[in-house]
């Protein structure tokens, strides 16, 4: 049993903590919190140990029982998943070094915080046995999963992507834009270079804009391939690619809101969608260029990656076994024996 | 075992069908569909029987196995819950009469379609043994639950509510307004008179506006009471009222997006919130008037009402037993033995 601590209990941290509890080879040693939030009470009522990171007095009024501070959590953990907002992961690294505990950081941190950046199906081996690994951001994860599949199958001359990014997460009641479109004025956007921390051999250039929606990001891709597959062959490749879900034309799922509704209907906790979703009808080839639109659930797609990174760093599993185990564990109960919608 | 059919498998129908499957005194005899939708496949893969209502050829390409048509479903059901969009419920009534099957209609239909309009905690008795009952709309349900509690405890001279309505349901990718506020130009809005189909003795007047959001409705209420309770007493009353949830000030849940996030965190399927949520810090008394804001999850609050209406009409349970049974069944697995967040 690997004892895993989670530092930071926000959008990603709460999901990673839930996912750890679903693994039969891991145990959640506890989670940290800066200050009281109803989520901490929910966690405690489900038997999760809470450790403070900051000022214990901010919990005084909450009746929340604290198990100790982050040092106590680290003493009791083989590895931690740091889900703090940037740049707190980098600040926390010294603590992990001091306690000689392996650590996973999230994609908001700079790549050089870790020995490897990670997307399970692309470079699992790079993380094996490492002490510090960075799971890349939701957008980089999404780009890496599909571009890597194309690179392996046909070779990629160059990949271009326009990222249409969500303004804020669903729980946010501030953040923007409310009614405007904001182009990112960095060229390339940081996502392209970030993809190359995972698949360095591919030439990727990305641009990004933010739009007033909270549900998912959408990437609009154009990829020059070395090979010349048919549209059908590419769709079939995507169907066979792990953690990529092709939305069949006949299912008439037309928008990010439709995708989120499907995930809710399927019974995933919080309506999460861990797969990158590609609209089948949007896949097409024009000359040498392959075009496709894909949707990325920013709250969820990196969750299975964090679980696989734990297995890689602890050296207890190969890629395929870990990914299969992780994906099966995250399915809603009634889907566990079915091969549903995929 | 009561055999229940569900006619119409949209926002409400799919939830009611799920809820029926969670009851130990009911069995889902099947659901109907007009044409193929991925939801029907999801349902079939979970063992739900599908009956067509309309053109069976529209299912030809879907590989969906149909059990027959709506007549076959009605032959196999003791009662149906009609979740068709208005005015199809009224059109379907002749079928139910022909097959001598009891039927529940939704709040979009006119009140005179049924022998009683229904909110379990307000007028369960009115539905006992009836053949046709109408579960009122999400908004009317929300208003009825809290105003009825006030009426019972203190007496209500008059109730006034401004309804700030969501533009469309989350899955919608059309509907409006996108970026505007639309005042309802009917006075009163239909909600006030509709509340009186459930609690006729209370004088209620409502006005409504639609705003560009999809998550929940919010009602802003001002109620002239006959008694003179303190704010604390009213909050305490709401805490003790079934299917009403007081959002503690210390939990810092400030918006509809925060409420939906809490429901997701708690693990309710689809992130549903069946309770009417009242912000504790928004409850206040000014002179004779009580003010409070409440949020209504339009996709979910009527779901338990439909289940209770079945028990009332079949005469198999009293109000308290039915409501307790229903509420317990809808909780996520890990909350079943806890008294969480309430």
């Amino acid at each position: 049993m690997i004892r895993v601590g989670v530092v930071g209990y926000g959008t990603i941290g709460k999901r990673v903590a839930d996912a750890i509890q679903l693994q039969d080879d891991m145990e959640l040693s506890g989670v940290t919190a800066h200050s009281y939030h109803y989520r901490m009470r929910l966690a405690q009522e489900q038997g999760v140990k809470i450790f403070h990171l900051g000022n214990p007095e901010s919990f005084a009024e909450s009746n929340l029982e604290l198990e100790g501070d982050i040092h106590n959590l680290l003493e009791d953990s083989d590895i931690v998943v740091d889900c703090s907002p940037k740049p707190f992961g980098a600040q926390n690294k010294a603590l992990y070094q001091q306690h000689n505990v392996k650590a996973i950081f999230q994609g908001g941190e700079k790549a050089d915080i870790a020995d490897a950046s990670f997307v399970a199906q692309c470079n699992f081996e790079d993380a094996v046995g490492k002490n510090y690994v960075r799971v890349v951001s939701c957008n980089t994860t999404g780009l890496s999963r599909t571009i890597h599949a194309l690179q392996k199958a046909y070779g990629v001359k160059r990949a271009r992507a326009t990222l249409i990014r969500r303004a804020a997460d669903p729980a946010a009641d501030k953040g923007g834009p409310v009614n405007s479109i904001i182009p990112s004025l960095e060229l390339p956007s940081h996502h392209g270079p970030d993809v190359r921390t995972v698949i360095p051999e591919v030439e990727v250039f990305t641009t990004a804009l933010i739009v007033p929606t909270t549900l998912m990001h959408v990437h609009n891709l154009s990829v020059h391939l070395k090979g010349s597959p048919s549209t059908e062959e590419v769709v079939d490749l995507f169907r066979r690619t792990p953690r990529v879900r092709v939305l069949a034309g006949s299912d008439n799922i037309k928008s990010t809101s439709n995708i989120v509704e499907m995930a809710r209907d399927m019974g995933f906790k919080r309506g999460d969608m861990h797969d990158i979703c590609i609209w089948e009808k949007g896949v097409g080839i024009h000359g040498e260029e392959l075009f496709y639109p894909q949707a990325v659930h920013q709250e969820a797609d990196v969750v299975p990656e964090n679980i696989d990174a734990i297995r890689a760093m602890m050296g207890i599993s190969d890629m395929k076994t870990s990914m299969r185990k992780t994906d099966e564990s995250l399915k809603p109960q009634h889907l566990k024996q079915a091969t549903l919608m995929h």
Side-chain angles (χ1 to χ4, degrees), chain A:
Chain A
M1 260 339 204
I2 295 171
R3 294 188 58 75
V4 191
V6 172
V7 173
Y9 197 68
T11 301
I12 300 299
K14 66 189 181 185
R15 288 174 164 86
V16 169
D18 282 356
I20 290 163
Q21 293 177 281
L22 296 171
Q23 310 308 313
D24 60 13
D25 50 359
M26 301 177 194
E27 203 178 326
L28 182 65
S29 46
V31 306
T32 67
H34 260 285
S35 55
Y36 175 71
H37 188 280
Y38 76 82
R39 284 201 297 269
M40 313 313 299
R41 193 167 81 243
L42 275 181
Q44 184 155 83
E45 284 168 336
Q46 289 168 49
V48 174
K49 291 183 185 170
I50 316 289
F51 297 82
H52 72 83
L53 175 65
N55 185 357
E57 278 143 42
S58 70
F59 294 89
E61 273 183 63
S62 68
N63 290 324
L64 201 75
E65 237 175 89
L66 292 171
E67 300 285 333
D69 65 13
I70 186 167
H71 294 282
N72 302 114
L73 175 63
L74 294 176
E75 281 157 19
D76 204 26
S77 304
D78 303 311
I79 184 168
V80 292
V81 185
D82 187 302
C83 302
S84 317
K86 67 177 173 184
F88 294 104
Q91 291 181 23
N92 292 338
K93 189 176 175 185
L95 284 173
Y96 308 145
Q97 288 172 316
Q98 177 192 331
H99 284 270
N100 206 19
V101 170
K102 288 177 188 256
I104 296 170
F105 300 96
Q106 303 305 307
E109 303 297 334
K110 296 209 175 91
D112 63 9
I113 197 176
D115 309 316
S117 289
F118 181 84
V119 174
Q121 65 211 77
C122 305
N123 69 338
F124 189 93
E125 287 305 316
D126 291 352
V128 171
K130 293 288 194 304
N131 286 328
Y132 303 108
V133 166
R134 169 178 165 266
V135 167
V136 294
S137 73
C138 54
N139 279 312
T140 303
T141 299
L143 292 167
S144 299
R145 284 189 194 159
T146 58
I147 294 173
H148 178 261
L150 294 170
Q151 162 75 357
K152 235 174 92 184
Y154 314 115
V156 167
K157 273 188 214 158
R158 57 180 176 276
R160 300 288 173 261
T162 303
L163 279 62
I164 298 100
R165 298 175 57 196
R166 62 92 183 93
D169 282 342
D173 41 26
K174 48 190 163 186
V178 168
N179 184 34
S180 180
I181 300 172
I182 307 176
S184 161
L185 302 178
E186 70 178 345
L187 273 181
S189 72
H190 65 275
H191 313 89
D194 207 29
V195 170
R196 305 191 78 170
T197 66
V198 178
I199 32 177
E201 66 276 20
V202 177
E203 204 267 280
V204 192
F205 195 94
T206 53
T207 48
L209 310 90
I210 300 177
V211 298
T213 171
T214 63
L215 301 179
M216 301 179 91
H217 303 292
V218 172
H219 302 164
N220 209 31
L221 283 112
S222 115
V223 180
H224 281 253
L225 299 173
K226 291 179 184 159
S228 308
S230 68
T231 302
E232 292 68 30
E233 284 166 337
V234 172
V235 168
D236 189 53
L237 171 72
F238 285 145
R239 273 195 217 285
R240 288 180 284 108
T241 302
R243 296 180 185 165
V244 170
R245 179 181 296 263
V246 175
L247 305 171
S250 61
D251 274 353
N252 210 22
I253 294 168
K254 292 172 295 182
S255 58
T256 54
S257 56
N258 286 179
I259 294 172
V260 169
E261 187 75 357
M262 178 184 69
R264 296 171 84 197
D265 288 340
M266 292 176 78
F268 282 98
K269 184 165 179 187
R270 300 186 174 93
D272 282 352
M273 172 50 63
H274 304 103
D275 297 334
I276 305 306
C277 295
I278 296 177
W279 283 274
E280 180 185 10
K281 286 192 175 168
V283 182
I285 290 172
H286 177 73
E288 283 190 313
E289 267 175 293
L290 167 71
F291 291 87
Y292 62 98
Q294 64 180 27
V296 173
H297 189 195
Q298 77 279 1
E299 299 176 286
D301 72 330
V302 300
V303 173
E305 304 294 345
N306 277 280
I307 300 300
D308 293 328
I310 294 169
R311 291 207 185 90
M313 293 164 72
M314 301 303 293
I316 55 164
S317 177
D318 62 275
M319 176 190 82
K320 278 198 180 157
T321 311
S322 179
M323 288 183 68
R324 204 174 299 133
K325 216 173 156 76
T326 304
D327 292 348
E328 194 62 22
S329 73
L330 293 175
K331 284 184 188 166
Q333 202 55 43
H334 66 277
L335 299 190
K336 293 233 164 148
Q337 266 115 17
T339 49
L340 212 60
M341 298 288 300
H342 209 170

